[in-house]
Amino acid sequence: MLINGKGPYLNPVSKSYETLNVTQGKTYLLRISNVGTFWSFNFRIQNHDMVLVETEGSYVNQLTLKSLDVHVGQSYSVLVTANQDSSAEYYMVASPKLLRDTTNPISLVGVAILHYDNSTIKPNGPLPKGPDPFDLEFSINQAKSIRWNLSTGAARPNPQGTFNVTNVTIVETFILKASMAKINHSSSPRYAVNNVSYLTPDTPLKLADFLVNGSGVYVLDAFPINTSNTNAVSGVFVASAIYKGWTEIVIKNTLDTIDSWHLDGYSFFVVGMGEGEWRAESRSSYNLYDPVARSTVQVFPGGWSALYVYPDNPGMWNLRSQNLNNWFLGEELYVRVYDPDPNPAKEKSPPQNLLLCGKFQPPSPAPSVAPTPSPSSNANTPHTPRSLFAIITTAICFFFIGLH
């Protein structure tokens, strides 16, 4: 696990590691992002508290934390005050969740150093302990404690102009179950959503949507969004969402790892999460007053997460697992939001030089015809300046086309 692309601090072995220089008494804003492909991690700073203030563009009620769970694709901002002994250095640690290595734990932990201006004492002793990496109750309770700050002046993603979703009317519900499945008795399992493993077509969906309304590339709403397909299949999973109709999305995780889901083109409100099976009665536990708005949500193993989203952005939007292995092997679908209004302010038409591919191959160029040489031409005659200019111009054009 790397911090800013650098390996862990190892004492006494010298190694390239990340250092944050601070001055006694000053407060610093740290932006902590999980740009990994699989592991959630817990972040902490030895002897220092962190005050959580923001996540993915949303101010949150300030929380003072000893450690913070950050899941794949998520980002947080915390305030850290340099208020400890300035003669010493301190560990900053990122350790993976749901993993315990008793043989060589430092090899799986990211370690950086908080360095005070006047510090002369290297950090020593054990790394600061975080929560048990298998303690899901800690992780869920911390996630539920992250609430939207309704008093801070900031842009609000709520399209109805209010600061909560208490009184919105849900017009449709997606219930999406992530699982693993073998397709057509294959020896290699794939990841699936509602027993459908996404199959990427040769033709981009948006191109097919614009030119032929998807015909021959995908079938809209061919797969269920509330139950699982009877048999595990591969397919181009495209579901429609009602334009400007509040949608509830419940994501279930039957896997044994922490999953992380992202929706392109939108922020959504994380109204609930929990362990065990989601049922209609689970809605009574939703937080509809100050749920945080974000674009990536964790789903704990054997658990669920519930989102409210307002599909007011027309287009073809990817809803997927952020865990790279899951995504690559089929844990995704597309949500088509359609508005018949041709107003380009809502969705611009493609440009005239739209590139064609897949099912829509560009027309073949006309065969070139070699010019008939004039009787006076001579193969050994050197190029005139005009011909040389033409050659140079052609070379430069090809150069810039290739560069583009």
Side-chain angles (χ1 to χ4, degrees):
M1 188 167 289
L2 309 179
I3 296 180
N4 284 356
K6 300 178 182 179
Y9 172 87
L10 298 176
N11 191 22
V13 179
S14 176
K15 189 179 180 76
S16 174
Y17 56 88
E18 182 65 6
T19 300
L20 175 62
N21 296 311
V22 297
T23 299
Q24 174 76 27
K26 290 189 176 182
T27 297
Y28 297 83
L29 177 72
L30 303 187
R31 180 75 167 169
I32 307 166
S33 299
N34 186 337
V35 297
T37 60
F38 183 77
W39 294 110
S40 298
F41 62 77
N42 178 268
F43 182 83
R44 51 201 180 271
I45 303 176
Q46 186 179 29
N47 295 353
H48 290 73
D49 289 336
M50 298 179 291
V51 180
L52 181 65
V53 294
E54 178 269 347
T55 179
E56 295 170 34
S58 294
Y59 287 110
V60 300
N61 291 334
Q62 295 189 8
L63 288 173
T64 300
L65 304 172
K66 297 293 184 183
S67 69
L68 174 64
D69 283 354
V70 187
H71 304 279
V72 176
Q74 292 185 342
S75 295
Y76 290 95
S77 293
V78 299
L79 299 176
V80 178
T81 300
N83 55 9
Q84 298 298 306
D85 180 5
S86 62
S87 65
E89 292 183 336
Y90 301 88
Y91 292 119
M92 297 191 293
V93 176
S95 58
K97 305 288 293 184
L98 297 187
L99 180 69
R100 184 181 288 114
D101 185 354
T102 57
T103 57
N104 186 20
I106 191 65
S107 66
L108 300 173
V109 176
V111 183
I113 297 299
L114 186 73
H115 172 81
Y116 280 74
D117 289 343
N118 301 321
S119 62
T120 57
I121 303 173
K122 293 293 182 183
N124 54 57
L127 299 177
K129 286 187 176 182
D132 187 298
F134 291 89
D135 186 354
L136 292 183
E137 184 177 1
F138 166 86
S139 298
I140 292 174
N141 289 338
Q142 184 180 84
K144 287 183 175 181
S145 70
I146 299 173
R147 303 294 186 93
W148 210 15
N149 188 326
L150 304 182
S151 62
T152 299
R156 303 287 177 181
N158 191 324
Q160 293 195 350
T162 60
F163 291 168
N164 59 56
V165 291
T166 304
N167 298 316
V168 303
T169 300
I170 298 298
V171 299
E172 61 182 340
T173 296
F174 289 21
I175 301 177
L176 307 175
K177 184 172 73 172
S179 62
M180 295 190 72
K182 291 186 177 180
I183 311 297
N184 296 329
H185 307 289
S186 170
S187 59
S188 301
R190 290 177 59 89
Y191 289 86
V193 180
N194 288 357
N195 235 8
V196 180
S197 183
Y198 188 78
L199 182 65
T200 303
D202 293 334
T203 304
L205 295 182
K206 192 58 186 171
L207 189 64
D209 188 50
F210 173 73
L211 294 176
V212 293
N213 201 30
S215 177
V217 178
Y218 72 89
V219 177
L220 188 64
D221 297 323
F223 302 107
I225 59 170
N226 287 304
T227 59
S228 289
N229 206 57
T230 304
N231 299 313
V233 297
S234 292
V236 185
F237 195 164
V238 180
S240 60
I242 298 173
Y243 178 66
K244 290 192 173 181
W246 278 97
T247 302
E248 175 190 38
I249 301 178
V250 178
I251 303 173
K252 299 179 178 181
N253 182 9
T254 67
L255 309 171
D256 57 3
T257 58
I258 300 174
D259 209 348
S260 186
W261 280 68
H262 174 83
L263 175 60
D264 284 347
Y266 289 92
S267 288
F268 47 68
F269 295 88
V270 183
V271 296
M273 63 177 56
E275 295 182 277
E277 185 68 21
W278 179 90
R279 295 179 175 84
E281 295 77 15
S282 302
R283 294 187 175 108
S284 63
S285 68
Y286 285 3
N287 167 29
L288 301 181
Y289 176 69
D290 55 359
V292 67
R294 61 188 316 155
S295 60
T296 306
V297 64
Q298 70 273 29
V299 192
F300 294 99
W304 55 271
S305 292
L307 323 170
Y308 280 6
V309 62
Y310 188 70
D312 62 344
N313 190 5
M316 187 78 69
W317 303 108
N318 191 225
L319 176 59
R320 65 179 181 270
S321 172
Q322 283 287 80
N323 294 5
L324 187 58
N325 190 56
N326 303 32
W327 182 13
F328 181 76
L329 292 177
E331 193 181 328
E332 64 173 319
L333 68 149
Y334 279 81
V335 179
R336 181 179 184 265
V337 181
Y338 178 70
D339 176 19
D341 185 352
N343 183 353
K346 295 181 179 180
E347 186 176 16
K348 291 184 177 181
S349 298
Q352 293 296 320
N353 61 345
L354 175 68
L355 296 179
L356 301 177
C357 61
K359 182 181 177 70
F360 310 103
Q361 293 291 341
S364 301
S368 59
V369 179
T372 303
S374 62
S376 60
S377 64
N378 189 321
N380 296 321
T381 302
H383 290 291
T384 63
R386 180 181 178 84
S387 300
L388 182 61
F389 174 78
I391 293 173
I392 294 174
T393 303
T394 304
I396 292 175
C397 288
F398 278 119
F399 170 77
F400 281 109
I401 292 172
L403 187 63
H404 177 71

